């Protein structure tokens, strides 16, 4: 039951459990308070607070977020939001999985699968994210090593799993940073702490999903194999319906 409600986009599975316990859920007109009650989506009429629940098809897409967009569905200040880039196409209401800064570009997943989104952003799973960062100046190997040893930023220990020097230009250096953590502006704060501010930041991978050559501002559906690989990362999320 709670899985059915979560998949229909009502709320997270945990929240749906509280709705059931509170007697807000009815099946075929009867209040059901037992977690795990079986639902036959084709035959049973399920209501929450008297409203009939219609199961949604689960959709997950990959967007190449451009810089200068907000990772949100709406912005009180009227700035461009990522979901406005995927409006056409008859997609259901999608929500960003995690967050990229206004000035960060690259791989952003959007989904209506609340279970999958929660799991992918939960620190328990430590899903790996890879960023390419253009730094001001040329960091020494020693200062890059500080990123994997850990740096204190505003009293918070931040650490990269892996850092690799990609290629230097005359004034700058490009590095690849792999994170398991996902703290606020983490790459920018860490690089600032070693004295090399980030000039440009692109997320190129999230777990098994790669940005590849998808042009900036474009999106595509995830392939079945990509979805399977994502779900294998977060087995407890169980949004597959299996
Ligand atoms: N680290 C940052 O500094 N910004 C992002 O958007 C993501 C990771």
């Amino acid at each position: 039951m709670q899985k059915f409600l979560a998949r229909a986009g009502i709320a997270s599975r945990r929240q749906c459990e509280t709705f059931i316990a509170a007697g807000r859920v009815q099946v075929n007109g009867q209040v059901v308070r037992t977690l795990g009650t079986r639902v036959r989506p084709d035959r049973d009429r399920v209501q929450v607070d008297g409203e009939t629940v219609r199961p949604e098809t689960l959709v997950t897409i990959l967007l190449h977020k451009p810089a200068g967009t907000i990772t949100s569905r709406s912005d009180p200040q009227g700035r461009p939001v990522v979901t406005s880039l995927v409006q056409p196409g008859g997609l259901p209401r999608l929500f960003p999985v995690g967050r990229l800064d206004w000035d960060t570009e690259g791989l952003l997943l959007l989904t209506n699968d609340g279970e999958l989104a929660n799991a992918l952003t939960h620190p328990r799973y430590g899903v790996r994210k890879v960023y390419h960062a253009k730094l001001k100046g040329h960091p020494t190997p020693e200062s890059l090593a500080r990123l994997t040893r850990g740096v204190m930023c505003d009293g918070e220990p931040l650490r990269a799993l892996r850092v690799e020097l990609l290629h230097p230009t005359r004034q700058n250096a490009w590095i690849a940073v792999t994170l398991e953590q996902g703290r606020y502006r983490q790459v920018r704060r860490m690089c600032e702490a070693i004295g090399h501010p980030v000039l440009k930041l692109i997320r190129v991978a999230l777990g098994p999903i790669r940005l590849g050559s998808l042009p900036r501002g474009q999106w595509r559906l995830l392939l079945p194999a990509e979805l399977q690989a994502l779900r294998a990362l977060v087995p407890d999320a169980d949004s597959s319906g299996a």
Side-chain angles (χ1 to χ4, degrees):
M1 165 70 77
Q2 54 270 40
K3 206 201 295 184
F4 170 84
L5 294 174
R7 256 198 277 160
I10 300 297
S12 72
R13 194 151 85 195
R14 300 275 168 281
Q15 286 168 314
C16 291
E17 288 173 1
T18 66
F19 295 173
I20 295 166
R24 294 171 58 184
V25 179
Q26 295 189 337
V27 178
N28 304 323
Q30 302 291 313
V31 172
V32 169
R33 292 179 192 263
T34 315
L35 297 182
T37 301
R38 286 219 159 267
V39 175
R40 296 157 304 175
D42 48 334
R43 273 186 274 167
D44 294 325
R45 182 165 139 92
V46 179
Q47 292 166 293
V48 176
D49 297 335
E51 293 285 331
T52 300
V53 176
R54 280 170 229 296
E56 266 190 323
T57 308
L58 296 181
V59 173
T60 302
I61 67 166
L62 158 53
L63 169 71
H64 187 157
K65 175 195 178 293
T69 48
I70 304 264
T71 306
S72 173
R73 285 195 53 87
S74 63
D75 180 53
Q77 295 170 46
R79 291 169 296 181
V81 293
V82 289
T83 46
S84 64
L85 295 166
V86 295
Q87 276 320 309
L91 292 170
R93 239 168 111 77
L94 301 178
F95 294 86
V97 177
R99 183 167 284 278
L100 290 177
D101 302 332
W102 161 266
D103 41 359
T104 300
E105 53 191 272
L107 186 161
L108 184 67
L109 298 183
L110 294 118
T111 188
N112 61 347
D113 183 341
E115 290 287 308
L116 183 66
N118 284 343
L120 289 174
T121 49
H122 198 288
R124 168 156 72 114
Y125 292 107
V127 173
R128 294 182 185 180
K129 280 97 33 186
V130 184
Y131 298 87
H132 286 180
K134 181 183 181 183
L135 304 188
K136 184 168 176 194
H138 295 112
T140 61
E142 171 53 24
S143 49
L144 287 184
R146 284 183 59 204
L147 298 176
T148 43
R149 279 206 304 270
V151 288
M152 284 302 273
C153 298
D154 314 309
E156 194 176 17
L158 300 180
R159 179 174 289 116
L161 188 69
R162 191 155 178 235
V163 175
E164 200 185 331
L165 183 62
L166 295 177
H167 54 87
T169 63
R170 216 153 57 86
Q171 313 267 346
N172 311 110
W174 279 92
I175 61 170
V177 181
T178 305
L179 298 184
E180 278 180 333
Q181 296 174 306
R183 312 298 297 168
Y184 174 71
R185 292 179 78 82
Q186 181 163 350
V187 176
R188 294 176 197 278
R189 287 160 67 208
M190 292 179 74
C191 293
E192 183 88 40
I194 61 161
H196 295 278
V198 169
L199 303 176
K200 193 173 169 106
L201 188 59
I202 308 168
R203 180 154 70 186
V204 297
L206 183 139
I209 312 298
R210 303 274 171 271
L211 178 63
S213 56
L214 185 68
R216 209 177 282 128
Q218 302 285 301
W219 63 271
R220 66 169 176 84
L221 290 169
L222 284 195
L223 303 170
E226 290 176 315
L227 270 173
Q228 210 175 2
L230 263 188
R231 290 205 170 107
L233 273 190
V234 292
D236 305 349
D238 193 20
S239 50
S240 62

